[in-house]
Amino acid sequence: MTTTDLIKKLFLSFNEKDNDAFVQIAREYIEHEKRKKHTVVAKDLEKALFSASSVQNAGKRFKNTLPIPRDTEKGFPLLEIQHFDKSIDALIISSEIKDQLDQVIREFKDADILSTYNLQNKKKILFCGRPGTGKTFSAQIISSVLNLPLVYIRFDAIISSYLGETASNLRKVFDYIESGTWVVLFDEFDIIGKNRDDNHEHGEIKRVVNSFLQMLDNLKSDSIILAATNHQNMLDPAIWRRFDDVIYYELPDENIRKLLFEIYLKPIKKDADIDMAKAASMTDGFSPADIKMVTEEAMKTAIISSKNHLGQNEIDCAIQKFIRREKVRNDLMGDK
Ligand SMILES: Nc1ncnc2c1ncn2[C@@H]1O[C@H](COP(=O)(O)OP(=O)(O)OP(=O)(O)O)[C@@H](O)[C@H]1O
Ligand SMILES: [Mg+2]
């Protein structure tokens, strides 16, 4: 059988949700690679097919995948399944945060060993910190590294949709989570703090948050549950207590900003005298997402002006432009 035949059979078995056939054809394919003396490839594929997570979840993944839950009132999907292929090296962050994330990943991989000592891996993690510092990005990276799909839930969308429906929406989301092993991200968890001025809404949201916390407590799942917010001050102690770890994302210091400039500007050729340290020193208070935006602006300016090299001038201008833009935004917000 040719490689194409095998892959075609593999796809068909996936479509038919026939897990046993899928595994059998995958094995045939590995043997096929071995016969071609592609031992490294074969080993790699074997590892992917029989990794702890895939064997554990194969049944769930192929047999009882539930339909994506939808809002009863309006019918919009309550979550999204996303797949990423990112390396942890793409995250430029303090070594403390990297260590915390690493720990979550390693404990998940060694969950079986930990359980023989009656210990549980950290599963519920709260990400806090300023916008654009890498909270959503970290969830994508954990999902990539663990080779698990990311179940993405916009917490605010579920709640703001229709308050009366929220509890049942949450129930559906948790039922879905329990049907498999995933990395789950409750993003934009901020809603909890936002409506505190409106007493009626606030009371309702409080009830919803309580039912969320109860569902979180009762959740029986191997999944990693992440929640991200940039209003950490507003989260009360009852919420903090529910999480096994809280990771606080700070704005990058000058060294990290320099690294960010270097990485984001990698794709383009640069003048020899370009000074990344200067760019880093000019961008105090910028988040990684801000620096990304500035570097993209600088590269675009260089490219459309038909220069094939990026100069310091483009970087400086893009930084200044960003600072002006932020000033306008802050002035407008101040007027409110
Ligand atoms: N620490 C980082 N290292 C590298 N790139 C980063 C980092 N933080 C953010 N970025 C870049 O900025 C983009 C936006 O970041 P992200 O969405 O993770 O921010 P966030 O913390 O979730 O912000 P928000 O609170 O607004 O949701 C990312 O997709 C990534 O390209
Ligand atoms: Mg985010």
Side-chain angles (χ1 to χ4, degrees), residues 132 134-137 152 185 187-188 228 230:
K135 300 182 294 295
T136 306
F137 196 44
Y152 182 84
L185 174 62
D187 212 358
E188 320 283 339
N230 44 41

Side-chain angles (χ1 to χ4, degrees), residues 73-111:
E73 195 66 14
K74 302 198 195 91
F76 65 75
L78 296 170
L79 54 85
E80 216 180 289
I81 309 288
Q82 302 176 341
H83 298 269
F84 294 94
D85 185 15
K86 292 179 193 286
S87 149
I88 194 160
D89 297 333
L91 187 69
I92 313 300
I93 211 132
S94 70
S95 54
E96 289 82 14
I97 298 185
K98 213 166 217 174
D99 287 348
Q100 274 181 290
L101 294 172
D102 247 351
Q103 181 80 14
V104 174
I105 291 168
R106 286 165 57 177
E107 287 189 15
F108 181 89
K109 287 184 175 166
D110 282 339

Side-chain angles (χ1 to χ4, degrees), residues 215-228:
M215 289 183 203
L216 197 62
D217 275 347
N218 297 333
L219 181 68
K220 291 199 181 26
S221 168
D222 293 329
S223 299
I224 293 202
I225 314 291
L226 310 169

Side-chain angles (χ1 to χ4, degrees), residues 42-61:
K43 269 221 169 90
D44 218 22
L45 292 176
E46 235 159 20
K47 222 166 91 194
L49 184 64
F50 299 114
S51 68
S53 58
S54 56
V55 169
Q56 234 169 306
N57 306 315
K60 287 176 183 166
R61 235 182 254 171

